[in-house]
Amino acid sequence: MPRLLTVAGAQLGPIQKSEPRASAVARMVRLMERAHQRGAELVVFPELALTTFFPRYYHADVAEADHWFEAAMPSNETAPLFAAAKRFGIGFHLGYAELTADKRRFNTAILVNPDGDIVLKYRKVHLPGHAEFDPKRTVQHLEKRYFEVGDLGFPVVRAPLGQLAGVNVGIMICNDRRWPEAWRVMGLQGVELVMLGYNTPSMNTSAAGFEAPHLRVFHSHLSVQAGAYQNATFAVAVAKGGSEDGYELFGHSIIVNPQGEIIAQAASWDDELIVADCNLDMCMLGRTTVFAFDKHRRPEAYARITAQVGATEPPVWSKPA
Ligand code: CDT
């Protein structure tokens, strides 16, 4: 019997600044119902799925942004998601801004099973953007202001999902997908399904230079497809899309197989489900051949990966005397 899991990516259209959480949650519950009708056993929602992508807004006092954060999970406002999971017998992945009891702030995502247990929690490690207001930018990207660097590493857990007794699942968030280190740390834990939510603007508005808009989607897909292939895992990469109060997010959610092929892709910038039957046995080909890590990896040659952060200049070549 193949190890089959039917997975849905639940892309969200824009969430305006004025849209209350209750409204976003109602949209998400509708997507869970439709996912269930289409046979999905797991629904993946985007990064910071309950609100607009608030790191574009500057608050001098960080605590003024706390209304964008969740101090409890579930809360009264998010409880309908947990109830829907139980009603439809479906697991879900949710990205949200987490405010801890001791006032620490993280960009977090969780995997919840149909019983309402939080099976896995991840806090974003690679925070893009900047910590201070940048007058040169047309849009701020203040993740470094509002969030601490995640302190949970890149955990993978073997958990029952759908009809399967155990699936190796991991979570990364948005910018993490661009970093091969994140994928490999999960690959080294035998991950079979990476869930990742993102909010990526269509334009790179950093003052550092022009980036052609069509390359933005290319780089996103390139990163997810390479990460999945090189670590022999499925990946579900789910976006918010469309214009949030005039700021465009590029959508293009995808599900990718362990060969790096896109097997489902969103075609709108609205609330949209993409669904794929994932045969997890497909992970075996890569991990027993080209990417049989135990046979082929050479960690003794990789010391720089953990010893060094920034790039250094190489030695200058000179002609032997
Ligand atoms: N949310 C998030 O991490 N967004 C970033 C934008 C960075 S611009 C290259 C991302 O990597 O998509």
Side-chain angles (χ1 to χ4, degrees):
M1 281 283 283
R3 294 173 62 233
L4 276 180
L5 184 72
T6 304
V7 175
Q11 177 173 287
L12 292 174
I15 300 179
Q16 308 306 336
K17 203 177 177 186
S18 59
E19 182 167 350
R21 275 178 188 66
S23 159
V25 166
R27 287 164 55 183
M28 293 162 78
V29 168
R30 278 197 290 279
L31 286 163
M32 285 172 88
E33 180 169 16
R34 281 172 43 209
H36 171 65
Q37 287 161 355
R38 290 175 64 177
E41 298 159 301
L42 171 70
V43 181
V44 178
F45 290 113
E47 172 191 36
L48 301 177
L50 300 167
T51 67
T52 198
F53 187 69
F54 69 86
R56 70 171 74 90
Y57 299 113
Y58 176 78
H59 293 281
D61 177 358
V62 170
E64 282 172 15
D66 280 353
H67 62 99
W68 297 116
F69 284 73
E70 313 305 312
M73 187 58 66
S75 58
N76 286 344
E77 281 158 320
T78 52
L81 297 171
F82 288 70
K86 196 179 177 79
R87 188 158 69 250
F88 302 128
I90 202 167
F92 71 96
H93 159 284
L94 173 71
Y96 65 101
E98 177 190 10
L99 182 64
T100 69
D102 54 351
K103 299 285 178 210
R104 299 178 70 195
R105 298 171 182 84
F106 296 100
N107 186 340
T108 295
I110 51 174
L111 171 64
V112 180
N113 71 15
D115 290 336
D117 304 309
I118 294 177
V119 170
L120 184 63
K121 181 177 199 168
Y122 168 69
R123 291 169 169 161
K124 187 173 182 179
V125 167
H126 296 102
L127 297 173
H130 46 108
E132 300 303 328
F133 185 84
D134 181 351
K136 293 200 225 64
R137 292 182 67 117
T138 51
V139 189
Q140 304 297 303
H141 195 117
L142 291 155
E143 289 196 56
K144 281 187 158 67
R145 182 174 193 81
Y146 295 126
F147 304 121
E148 286 181 47
V149 172
D151 58 355
L152 302 175
F154 291 99
V156 174
V157 70
R158 186 166 183 82
L161 269 184
Q163 305 300 309
L164 301 175
V167 180
N168 300 349
V169 278
I171 301 176
M172 65 175 76
I173 301 179
C174 196
N175 188 261
D176 290 321
R177 72 194 185 287
R178 305 182 195 276
W179 299 88
E181 296 89 338
W183 291 93
R184 184 47 50 88
V185 170
M186 289 196 194
L188 286 168
Q189 299 170 80
V191 74
E192 296 173 305
L193 177 65
V194 172
M195 298 167 288
L196 86 98
Y198 61 97
N199 281 273
T200 305
S202 297
M203 299 287 289
N204 180 349
T205 56
S206 77
F210 177 75
E211 184 179 353
H214 70 278
L215 294 179
R216 305 274 289 170
V217 173
F218 171 67
H219 291 154
S220 179
H221 287 184
L222 179 70
S223 302
V224 176
Q225 291 179 257
Y229 165 63
Q230 291 169 348
N231 294 281
T233 180
F234 283 88
V236 190
V238 183
K240 265 206 259 128
S243 173
E244 292 191 337
D245 295 294
Y247 304 107
E248 192 179 286
L249 301 167
F250 68 50
H252 280 84
S253 304
I254 48 174
I255 302 177
V256 173
N257 73 17
Q259 297 289 355
E261 295 171 295
I262 295 175
I263 54 174
Q265 177 169 324
S268 77
W269 278 355
D270 293 326
D271 293 0
E272 178 179 344
L273 276 183
I274 53 173
V275 181
D277 293 324
C278 300
N279 178 356
L280 299 176
D281 292 337
M282 270 189 79
C283 300
M284 287 312 288
L285 178 63
R287 72 182 45 170
T288 54
T289 58
V290 179
F291 298 113
F293 292 158
D294 53 335
K295 292 195 184 71
H296 307 307
R297 287 187 76 249
R298 292 288 168 253
E300 67 276 14
Y302 310 151
R304 278 183 194 274
I305 296 282
T306 53
Q308 194 173 318
V309 181
T312 55
E313 287 296 315
V316 176
W317 180 83
S318 61
K319 204 172 178 63

